[in-house]
């Protein structure tokens, strides 16, 4: 009999890997080179567009959304899922160390400057603390959003067999990515940081849920 869980990697591993491979391609197409400067300069127009558009939204709303990317805040909220599916606690406990490891390794190896490190504070809109370090890639908050979200999805619906499954899954992923955009809105990350963080988070969530189930 076909085991749906044996095909999880088709859903949760190949797509994020493909997105990760696309990131350097996008940088090369925009600038023709792979350097720290080329990385952020190629995204500058999009960053400023998203960051500027976000000024129409309440600053408190954006700040609270971006706070949810802190595992110490998001994890207790995610635990509310326990009443629906008790197995989620094991998935979340297994996922978070994997996500933290991927985030730490990526930030240290890539050492990409944040917007606040290369732009004047008057050039963009920052909400909360102005981050000026070289730890932009990947976005740790985006990684956390997707790690927790995908861990819950994989635990509840490992394979999207029905139209309802697909609707729930796509809606959840859309909400997660909207949350990721808050990191550009508050001036903390470049757009591609979100893609890398979300991709790594997806793999971490899938791995954690698979280990726990």
């Amino acid at each position: 009999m076909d085991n749906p869980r044996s095909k999880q990697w088709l859903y949760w591993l190949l797509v994020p890997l493909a997105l990760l491979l696309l990131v350097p391609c996008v940088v090369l197409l925009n600038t023709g080179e792979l350097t720290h400067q080329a990385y952020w300069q190629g995204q500058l127009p999009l960053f400023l567009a998203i960051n500027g558009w976000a000024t129409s939204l309440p600053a408190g709303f954006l700040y609270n959304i971006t706070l949810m990317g802190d595992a110490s805040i998001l994890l207790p909220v995610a635990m509310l899922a326990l009443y629906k599916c008790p197995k989620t606690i094991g998935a979340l406990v297994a996922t978070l160390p994997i996500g933290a490891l991927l985030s730490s390794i990526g930030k240290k190896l890539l050492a990409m400057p944040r917007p606040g490190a290369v732009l004047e504070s008057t050039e963009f809109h920052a909400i909360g603390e102005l981050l000026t370090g070289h730890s932009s890639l990947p976005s740790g908050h985006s990684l956390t959003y997707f790690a927790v979200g995908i861990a819950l999805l994989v635990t509840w619906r490992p394979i999207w067999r029905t139209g309802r499954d697909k609707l729930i899954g796509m809606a959840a992923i859309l909400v997660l990515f909207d949350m990721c955009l808050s990191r550009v809105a508050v001036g903390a990350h470049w757009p591609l940081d979100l893609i890398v963080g979300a991709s790594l988070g997806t793999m971490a969530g899938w791995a954690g849920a698979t280990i726990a189930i």
Side-chain angles (χ1 to χ4, degrees):
M1 183 180 294
D2 184 33
N3 181 6
R5 293 195 184 281
S6 67
K7 295 183 178 180
Q8 282 186 10
W9 63 277
L10 291 173
Y11 292 81
W12 307 116
L13 193 58
L14 291 184
V15 171
L17 281 174
L19 289 174
L20 288 175
L21 290 174
L22 280 176
V23 170
C25 295
V26 171
V27 177
L28 281 172
L29 286 173
N30 283 337
T31 63
E33 57 181 343
L34 283 174
T35 64
H36 284 67
Q37 187 172 10
Y39 177 81
W40 68 263
Q41 283 187 340
Q43 301 177 70
L44 185 56
L46 181 58
F47 167 80
L48 292 176
I50 297 173
N51 184 258
W53 170 83
T55 58
S56 62
L57 300 175
F61 170 72
L62 293 172
Y63 183 71
N64 286 326
I65 288 181
T66 197
L67 275 181
M68 292 291 290
D70 187 327
S72 64
I73 296 175
L74 184 58
L75 184 58
V77 175
M79 287 298 182
L80 294 174
L82 282 172
Y83 84 95
K84 185 73 173 180
C85 183
K87 292 186 293 185
T88 55
I89 188 170
L92 294 174
V93 169
T95 292
L96 290 178
I98 299 172
L101 181 62
L102 292 174
S103 178
S104 178
I105 292 174
K107 287 179 181 293
K108 289 181 179 179
L109 286 180
L110 300 170
M112 202 66 68
R114 292 181 182 270
V118 294
L119 301 177
E120 296 293 334
S121 60
T122 55
E123 294 182 77
F124 66 103
H125 185 62
I127 299 175
E129 181 185 0
L130 178 62
L131 302 177
T132 58
H134 285 65
S135 57
S136 192
L137 183 66
S139 165
H141 283 66
S142 297
L143 194 155
T144 302
Y145 295 140
F146 268 82
V148 171
I150 297 305
L152 296 179
L153 278 178
V154 171
T155 303
W156 288 339
R157 287 179 168 78
I159 296 295
W160 299 349
R161 291 191 179 279
T162 67
R164 184 169 181 268
D165 290 341
K166 293 181 175 66
L167 181 62
I168 292 173
M170 295 306 296
I173 289 174
L174 181 60
V175 170
L176 291 171
F177 193 71
D178 284 342
M179 293 173 71
C180 292
L181 285 175
S182 70
R183 297 304 288 162
V184 175
V186 301
H189 281 284
W190 307 105
L192 286 181
D193 297 346
L194 313 182
I195 300 297
V196 176
S199 297
L200 293 175
T202 296
M203 291 188 285
W206 168 77
T210 301
I211 290 170
I213 292 173

